[in-house]
Amino acid sequence: MPLSEQPKIQLFYKSGAQARGIVVVDRRTSASRSRAHRRRKYQTVAREAPSNFVADLQRLRNWPSMKGSLWRRASLVKLTHAPNARLLTGSISGRNLKILDVGCGTGCISLELSRIGHDVLGLDLNERMIEIATRTKKTSNSGSGKLKYEMADFDKWVGTTGAYDVVIFSRVLHDLPDPENALLKAQRILKSRGKILCLEYAYNMMDKKTAAWLYQIRKPLELQDWYSSPHLPDDPRKGVDLIMHEAVTGRKQHINTFQEMIRPLKRLFHQEAFSWHTYHFWDVLSDLRIPNPRMEERLATMVKNLEEYLLGTGEIQPALFLYKGTKARQIPGTE
């Protein structure tokens, strides 16, 4: 599949009174609602987690009060966070490694790595996330590896040169203001022949085929009152444009593009493996609101499987990539 440049999207909506049953979209209002909704969606764990919440993939349970989070139902976590954890842990070879998990969030991946026997330090800027990760560690069997968490901004955090065997960026590099500097720091604190793992999404890869597929999934759910995100227009053309706008330009904060991340990764590390994985379905599952748990689980599984099939046939663009690399002995351009 070709790696496209960031699409140039123009949205055109006609003004006028809203007819019965027809959604008339105001571009500014819609974009504002989309941005606000996306910010809320990715802050839901910190905001909605009850005082006894633990993010342990080996003792999943339902957390009904966390309505805006995938953690609300164990079946949704099994389709999302759990496979990502397996993808990362399965990409690490060796025993008793020293690992840095940048942007560890709830700490569920750090915990699984410590259970394998690795010594892990998880960093996160969000105090609430570190609180959840620490509580989960205290109430879980953490295995033979040492596990620590620290509230820190990675851009300002000072790590020891050559201290780590592996540095992990899991869905955090897109949000860092300077991905090249972050990766330079990772390269510095890695041991000789140390590894980097970057599991990251690249929403700027979105194209109209992918947006059209998402529209076909989201709009029927919305009409059934089974979807919580801002309403899509009834006009498919406008709906597709709005989905692309949400993904590519609808967020106020800057999101690093695929090229802004992959260029320094390839410059600073020798690529060992690269692969694309399903991720669009995460957004769909986050906003699902089906009262019947069994029906919700079946539909969620179908959407994930359908995305996997369409990616395999090249019908839609991917959003999540895994990059595994080895620390370069000499950075190109510094000889």
Side-chain angles (χ1 to χ4, degrees), residues 223-293:
L223 293 173
Q224 188 66 33
D225 201 24
W226 286 351
Y227 208 70
S228 67
S229 70
H231 291 310
L232 292 172
D234 288 350
D235 183 335
R237 179 185 61 83
K238 294 178 180 178
V240 168
D241 282 345
L242 182 57
I243 288 173
M244 290 195 64
H245 179 67
E246 289 175 351
V248 180
T249 60
R251 204 172 143 177
K252 187 174 182 179
Q253 302 93 332
H254 172 75
I255 297 180
N256 296 316
T257 66
F258 174 70
Q259 291 297 336
E260 288 172 326
M261 293 180 283
I262 199 66
R263 276 196 299 264
L265 279 169
K266 288 188 173 183
R267 189 173 76 88
L268 300 171
F269 303 91
H270 297 300
Q271 181 176 312
E272 288 189 17
F274 180 88
S275 52
W276 289 103
H277 301 272
T278 56
Y279 195 67
H280 292 295
F281 79 99
W282 281 60
D283 282 338
V284 176
L285 269 54
S286 294
D287 292 321
L288 274 182
R289 297 296 183 266
I290 301 178
N292 185 312

Side-chain angles (χ1 to χ4, degrees), residues 84-99:
N84 272 10
R86 290 194 297 270
L87 185 60
L88 287 167
T89 57
S91 299
I92 298 174
S93 57
R95 297 181 179 180
N96 308 117
L97 302 178
K98 191 172 181 181
I99 299 176

